[in-house]
């Protein structure tokens, strides 16, 4: 492996040490982007300050970092600030060890730094009052692109149904929740319940999007219930009473939100494309999605979407690990040659190791889209250059058709390690906790490639980093039309009902699934019966889809997991009963069958039981099935550690129930806090497995408390 030596500790300045102690990232000298600090914020609004209303104010404690670095070591000359020459007052601050801006690489002021302007789609630009004019456009229901830290946002007035509907239409995003930026915590508290842990995350220096619970939807017809001030548009998060909220984290946001707030702020891109970062990208947005753009002349070197997290059971549950967190590394309990792990397909990230440190890239997206695939390739060379490693081993998913797999297979000179998808999920959870295993790994997700040619996704593995075995899985159902079933949950409901109810019940199934067309009735039952274009799947995600479709809340679906989001929203309240289920142990691997669950749900539906109770019982049943299956495996294998991973565990209600039941049964339970349970965490698992397989001193697994 060719490695260029990094800076020795003596070469590091006090600034880097101070900063690194916060980011935990001394070795690579690559700090994450940091939200505007309170000192800069007060100077920003202080009329007597020389940076009053200057949109690029920053200091040693805050400002862009990772997104402006071209190369290491981190120094102004190797950032996109290199083209701006410090004016004498700024240079004095920069060189004075006693100053708050000592060695602050992006230091700038109105005299010497970047400038902002508002650009309209007809080519006019506004430089004297960009924020006031932008706010005026937003108040008129227009869509604004805003160049931020890691890319462009698209924003609109979050209180206007018409504006949110327009943004959704233009961005081709009919239902998936949109993040909302609030001017400050007080305003957010007006709309949502925010816990102490959530407050800490929102106000922290990473400034992620935090998923919080909206207060009961304000009813404008009821004067007593109405909360003073504007209401959020119901179109912001139509599937759930959660909202992705965040606070201004750059001076540009502070200045804009002081004019108008709250604003929908979503990544500036079409559907699955990477977030826009430069003029070329802007051309694809301006005039098509956005009516105007707030732009500036500080180049964004590296795309970095907003990070997204929830607080579950008092701890971080990361859904997207990106700006403000990247490039903090995950320490591995062992080291080996540098590994490049290529991730999966959806929510892709890559991971590169350097010694015993695993560096996960910012969120890349669905690399089935060719622009995102280009970003994936760009990220691999960019990240290797930054870390100054040339990976010797390339880890990839076992799925032969993922673009990431094809990329890895194209690297003929590298040593390649194929990692089964669900093993990678469990390995990522183990790596995060420093567990050596073996553990009982519960990997529940949408779809993953199984070595037996079926579609996996409801898996109970016995695994360490090098070895794994399928100990149990959810019962398989045919998936009529393969991927078509993912966006048509009603197909999975039909599949379950036809499999689990006696044949004479066809009229009843028709009654339960009124949305199925005659054409589908003509074709699907035979496909399900014969298996034609209907691969069997053990996916837990598809089981949630089926349950949601049976309750009539799965039509129409415009993004994967939407049905489960709705089901979770219905379920979240105190419901203690469960449905029956069954674990068949006569064959190995064992089968966890929810056929009885499906039948009991049908009878509840026919008896007019409240859908919220049914959704709650379904969640309880899956969590109970997880605990019971783990107990069955424990008896045979004498293992007590359970690792929970896979996209289904983004459902924090299911996660909470699963942890509760497993702990009740005496297990040590590990779930994700540092990387996402979804496929964004796959690259870390692949990297950990490949490092362990490389055979260089598999180290002491430690057990996290
Ligand atoms: Zn600052
Ligand atoms: Zn200056
Ligand atoms: Fe997965």
């Amino acid at each position: 492996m060719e490695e260029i030596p990094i800076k020795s500790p003596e070469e590091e300045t006090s600034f880097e040490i101070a900063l690194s102690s916060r980011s935990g990232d001394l070795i690579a000298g690559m700090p994450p982007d940091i939200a505007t600090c309170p000192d800069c914020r007060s100077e920003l609004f202080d009329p007597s300050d020389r940076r009053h209303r200057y949109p690029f104010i920053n200091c040693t404690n805050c400002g862009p970092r990772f997104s402006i670095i071209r190369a290491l070591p981190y120094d102004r000359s190797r950032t996109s600030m290199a083209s701006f020459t410090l004016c004498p007052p700024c240079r004095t601050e920069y060189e004075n060890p006693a100053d708050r801006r000592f060695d602050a690489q992006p230091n700038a002021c109105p005299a010497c730094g970047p400038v902002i302007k508002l650009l309209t789609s007809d080519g006019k630009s506004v430089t004297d009052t960009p924020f006031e004019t932008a706010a005026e456009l937003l108040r008129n229901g227009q869509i604004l692109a805003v160049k931020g830290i890691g890319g462009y946002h698209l924003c609109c007035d979050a209180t206007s149904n018409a504006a949110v509907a327009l943004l959704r239409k233009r961005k081709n995003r009919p239902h998936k929740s949109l993040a909302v930026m609030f001017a400050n915590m007080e305003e957010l508290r007006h709309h949502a319940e925010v816990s102490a842990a959530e407050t800490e995350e929102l106000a922290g220096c990473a400034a992620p999007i935090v998923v919080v619970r909206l207060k009961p939807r304000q009813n404008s017809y009821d004067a007593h219930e109405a909360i003073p001030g504007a209401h959020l548009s119901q179109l912001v998060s139509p599937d759930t009473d959660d909202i992705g909220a965040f606070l201004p984290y750059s001076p540009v946001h502070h200045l804009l939100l002081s004019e108008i707030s709250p604003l929908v702020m979503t990544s500036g891109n079409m559907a699955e494309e990477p977030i826009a970062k430069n003029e070329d990208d802007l051309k694809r947005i301006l005039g098509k999605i956005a009516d105007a753009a707030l732009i500036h002349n500080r180049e964004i070197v590296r795309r970095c979407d907003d990070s997204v997290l929830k607080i579950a059971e008092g701890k971080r549950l990361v859904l997207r690990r990106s700006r403000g967190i990247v490039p903090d590394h995950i320490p591995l309990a062992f080291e080996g040659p540098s590994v490049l792990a290529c991730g999966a397909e959806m929510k892709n990230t890559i991971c590169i190791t350097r010694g015993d440190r695993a560096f996960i890239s910012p969120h890349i997206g669905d690399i089935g889209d060719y622009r995102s695939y280009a970003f994936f390739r760009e990220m691999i060379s960019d990240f290797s250059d930054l870390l100054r490693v040339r990976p010797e081993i390339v880890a990839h998913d076992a799925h032969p058709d993922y673009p990431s797999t094809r990329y890895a297979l194209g690297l003929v000179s590298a040593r390649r390690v194929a990692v089964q998808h669900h093993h990678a999920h469990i390995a990522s959870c183990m790596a995060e906790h420093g567990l050596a295993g073996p553990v009982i790994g519960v990997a529940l997700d949408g779809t993953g490639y199984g070595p037996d040619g079926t579609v996996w996704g409801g898996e109970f593995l016995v695994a360490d980093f090098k070895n794994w075995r399928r100990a149990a899985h959810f019962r398989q159902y045919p998936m009529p039309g393969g991927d078509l079933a993912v966006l048509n949950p009603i197909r999975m409901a039909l599949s379950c009902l036809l499999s689990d109810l006696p044949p004479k019940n066809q009229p009843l199934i028709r009654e339960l699934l009124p949305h199925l067309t005659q054409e589908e009735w003509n074709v699907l039952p035979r496909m399900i019966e014969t298996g034609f274009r209907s691969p069997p799947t053990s996916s837990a995600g598809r089981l949630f889809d089926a349950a949601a479709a049976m309750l009539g809340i799965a039509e129409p679906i415009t993004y994967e997991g939407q049905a489960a989001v709705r089901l979770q929203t219905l379920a979240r309240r105190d419901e203690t009963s469960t449905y029956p289920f069954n674990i068949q142990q006569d064959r190995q691997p064992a089968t966890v069958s929810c056929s009885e669950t499906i039948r009991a749900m049908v009878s509840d539906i026919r008896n007019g039981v409240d859908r919220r109770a049914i959704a709650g019982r379904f969640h309880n049943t899956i969590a109970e099935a997880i605990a019971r299956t783990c107990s069955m495996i424990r008896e045979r294998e004498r293992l007590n550690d359970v690792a929970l991973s896979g996209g289904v565990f983004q459902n924090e209600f299911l996660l909470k129930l699963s942890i509760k039941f497993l702990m009740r049964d005496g297990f040590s339970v590990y779930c994700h806090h540092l990387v996402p349970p979804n496929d964004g965490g796959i690259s870390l698992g692949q990297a950990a497995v490949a490092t362990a397989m490389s055979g260089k001193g598999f180290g002491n697994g430690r057990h996290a408390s």
Side-chain angles (χ1 to χ4, degrees), residues 531-696:
F532 176 71
R533 292 203 175 144
S534 304
T537 184
S538 54
S539 165
R542 298 290 82 80
L543 194 57
F544 273 80
D545 279 356
M550 283 166 61
L551 291 178
I553 54 169
E555 295 289 310
I557 289 298
T558 56
Y559 61 92
E560 187 183 5
Q562 185 174 3
V565 167
R566 290 182 179 163
L567 193 66
Q568 179 198 8
T569 302
L570 269 189
R572 286 194 299 208
R573 53 172 210 160
D574 294 330
E575 172 60 54
T576 49
S577 60
T578 54
Y579 292 122
F581 61 91
N582 184 299
I583 305 172
Q584 289 148 5
Q585 297 189 59
D586 43 326
R587 279 187 306 146
Q588 282 302 311
T591 306
V592 185
S593 168
C594 288
S595 296
E596 286 183 67
T597 313
I598 300 286
R599 286 193 285 273
M601 282 180 73
V602 169
S603 101
D604 267 2
I605 293 168
R606 294 184 79 191
N607 292 332
V609 173
D610 185 345
R611 292 189 308 180
R612 290 174 301 179
I614 300 174
R617 286 172 198 169
F618 178 78
H619 277 74
N620 287 341
T621 306
I622 299 299
E624 196 63 77
I626 290 169
R628 284 258 301 282
T629 307
C630 288
S631 293
M632 185 265 298
I633 297 170
R634 171 167 62 187
E635 259 167 51
R636 196 175 299 151
E637 310 281 342
R638 312 239 158 256
L639 297 174
N640 203 52
D641 288 347
V642 175
L644 303 176
S645 190
V648 168
F649 287 111
Q650 295 174 106
N651 177 337
E652 89 282 354
F653 187 62
L654 178 72
L655 179 67
K656 190 176 101 179
L657 292 169
S658 305
I659 293 172
K660 186 170 138 194
F661 296 165
L662 284 163
M663 292 193 32
R664 174 201 65 198
D665 295 345
F667 287 101
S668 301
V669 187
Y670 300 88
C671 59
H672 288 284
H673 306 301
L674 302 178
V675 300
N678 61 43
D679 285 3
I682 285 288
S683 63
L684 173 66
Q686 291 171 344
V689 167
T691 304
M693 303 273 264
S694 76
K696 281 195 193 168

Side-chain angles (χ1 to χ4, degrees), residues 267-453:
S267 302
N269 54 6
M270 285 296 279
E272 300 304 336
E273 294 180 0
I275 187 168
K277 71 159 189 174
N278 56 30
E279 308 312 58
D280 272 358
D281 296 339
L282 179 62
K283 283 191 201 125
R284 300 173 43 75
I285 296 178
L286 191 55
K288 298 178 183 75
I289 311 180
D291 301 295
L294 261 182
I295 63 170
H296 59 72
N297 56 342
R298 185 179 66 201
E299 188 196 338
I300 296 170
V301 174
R302 198 162 291 103
R303 293 174 217 274
C304 213
D305 263 282
D306 294 312
S307 292
V308 184
L309 55 87
K310 289 180 185 178
I311 296 296
E313 297 293 273
K315 284 189 172 166
R316 251 191 195 191
L317 170 61
V318 180
L319 304 181
R320 187 202 285 160
R321 190 179 189 279
S322 221
R323 179 196 47 77
I325 304 176
V326 172
D328 278 357
H329 67 269
I330 312 281
L332 298 176
F334 40 87
E335 63 182 289
S338 178
V339 175
L340 160 66
C342 299
E345 180 171 32
M346 311 274 278
K347 299 184 167 69
N348 182 276
T349 60
I350 59 143
C351 176
I352 293 182
T353 67
R354 191 179 200 291
D356 62 356
R357 295 175 160 82
F359 293 87
I360 305 168
S361 74
H363 169 77
I364 295 172
D366 177 2
I367 56 171
D369 174 88
Y370 80 98
R371 282 175 202 276
S372 291
Y373 180 70
F375 179 33
F376 160 83
R377 297 188 58 141
E378 175 188 309
M379 184 67 82
I380 289 172
S381 68
D382 172 38
F383 233 50
S384 324
D385 287 351
L386 265 184
L387 291 166
R388 302 174 175 208
V389 291
R390 206 159 289 172
E392 278 179 43
I393 301 176
V394 178
H396 60 86
D397 200 282
H399 195 307
D401 294 329
Y402 280 167
S404 52
T405 306
R406 291 202 298 269
Y407 173 85
L409 296 179
L411 300 174
V412 281
S413 63
R415 264 162 70 198
R416 288 186 299 264
V417 178
V419 184
Q420 197 276 330
H421 189 86
H422 303 95
H423 183 212
H425 271 306
I426 299 308
S428 75
C429 187
M430 288 167 59
E432 185 182 317
H433 289 280
L435 294 171
V439 299
I440 300 170
V442 184
L444 308 187
D445 66 358
T447 50
Y449 180 81
D452 60 358

